[in-house]
Amino acid sequence: MKKATHALVIGNWKMNPQSVTMATRLATDVKKGVTRVEGVEVVLAPPSVYLEAVHRVQNGSKSFALCAQNVHAEKLGAHTGEISLSMLKSFDVTYVILGHSERRAEGEQNQAINKKVHAALKEGIKPVVCIGEQKRDREGHYLTFIETQIREVCAGITKAKLGNVVIAYEPIWAIGTGENATPEDVHEIKLFIQKVLFDIYDRATANRVRVLYGGSVTAKNALAIMEGGLVDGFLVGGSSLNAVEFSNIVKATL
Ligand code: PGA
């Protein structure tokens, strides 16, 4: 059966690979691996110094879109070491990951992430906002934690713009650990995210937000999480560094 909307699969390369030559090769191999795949939105998030090289591999094709791993909220100016939205736009970047737990671990907080979300929406780049708990507890405190993250990162976003926001549920205990959340866990959180958005906005608006899962996604577990979790796709870390594995994850979402 043909799905109503395309799945979204983003490869978050983090601080990999080691050279621009390797980045070019990885992007080229992914491009080859997904050439005949239709019906999935494939996105690559290389380190920003590799955006130009990966953009060259993309070469105007629709085989994959580009994503940045972070951005600064200001337009330009005295912000040493930072990158602006207009710089990303010069490489046709479509998405930007915001609030990844590895950045939150360095001190980034919901308010700063919210500022970046507003700035990205204004410039027409779609934010992929990461949320997720450190650990689970029987009392359900993790749900309150997730609700606060959603409310604070979405503060002030209009109904009209919310549809361009993607939420990636990435439980910290599942990132890079080989221990993925079960399809049931993922489904529970997908429904919970929609409920929180429904409380803030309305059902139609809540349903327009795509929800991804991230955390030790592999070609082996992708299908079960997709089907059982009813998510709109994946944010893939480690497995996105292997073009064959990543292409198989993409195919599992069809
Ligand atoms: P992982 O990372 O797939 O290596 O667990 C996911 C992420 O951090 O986006």
Side-chain angles (χ1 to χ4, degrees):
M1 196 177 66
K2 205 140 177 62
K3 291 190 187 130
T5 52
H6 290 183
L8 171 64
V9 182
I10 306 175
N12 174 14
W13 292 1
K14 307 191 180 184
M15 202 170 72
N16 299 290
Q18 275 175 309
S19 70
V20 69
T21 310
M22 289 164 83
T24 304
R25 194 177 316 136
L26 179 55
T28 307
D29 290 348
V30 170
K31 190 176 176 183
K32 273 189 210 139
V34 299
T35 31
R36 281 196 200 84
V37 180
E38 277 174 35
V40 184
E41 200 178 341
V42 180
V43 180
L44 297 182
S48 38
V49 285
Y50 297 155
L51 279 172
E52 183 172 7
V54 177
H55 184 230
R56 221 174 290 130
V57 174
Q58 184 196 37
N59 193 25
S61 80
K62 295 221 161 20
S63 43
F64 63 82
L66 280 169
C67 178
Q69 296 179 13
N70 184 34
V71 77
H72 198 275
E74 298 298 329
K75 276 189 164 29
L76 79 177
H79 303 287
T80 304
E82 297 289 347
I83 287 161
S84 75
L85 285 150
S86 66
M87 293 171 193
L88 298 182
K89 279 165 77 172
S90 56
F91 297 113
D92 299 324
V93 168
T94 312
Y95 292 93
V96 59
I97 298 170
L98 295 176
H100 190 280
S101 60
E102 287 152 15
R103 297 201 55 81
R104 290 177 186 266
E106 301 284 335
E108 195 167 67
Q109 293 187 350
N110 291 335
Q111 287 72 15
I113 298 162
N114 172 255
K115 254 185 153 178
K116 294 181 180 189
V117 172
H118 279 278
L121 288 171
K122 200 164 167 212
E123 291 297 325
I125 293 188
K126 294 175 187 159
V128 179
V129 184
C130 301
I131 58 167
E133 77 283 2
Q134 190 84 44
K135 57 177 177 18
R136 293 244 165 160
D137 58 294
R138 276 168 202 247
E139 298 76 30
H141 294 312
Y142 67 97
L143 292 173
T144 317
F145 180 80
I146 289 172
E147 174 160 4
T148 304
Q149 285 187 320
I150 299 170
R151 287 186 178 275
E152 293 186 357
V153 296
C154 290
I157 299 172
T158 61
K159 258 191 202 184
K161 285 201 168 153
L162 194 78
N164 285 326
V165 174
V166 177
I167 293 187
Y169 169 56
E170 295 211 312
I172 297 170
W173 49 268
I175 296 178
T177 57
E179 189 193 341
N180 62 277
T182 64
E184 295 73 34
D185 290 338
V186 174
H187 190 221
E188 177 205 21
I189 300 295
K190 157 99 193 262
L191 293 176
F192 184 71
I193 292 168
Q194 284 182 326
K195 183 197 165 294
V196 174
L197 293 173
F198 171 61
D199 287 347
I200 310 172
Y201 299 91
D202 54 57
R203 189 171 304 283
T205 309
N207 287 343
R208 277 205 301 275
V209 176
R210 286 176 292 175
V211 177
L212 309 182
Y213 167 72
S216 299
V217 175
T218 62
K220 243 190 179 155
N221 61 28
L223 180 62
I225 300 176
M226 192 74 190
E227 286 187 348
L230 293 173
V231 277
D232 301 293
F234 297 117
L235 181 53
V236 186
S239 300
S240 71
L241 299 174
N242 177 318
V244 174
E245 177 81 5
F246 184 66
S247 305
N248 286 338
I249 293 172
V250 168
K251 289 171 195 158
T253 66
L254 277 171

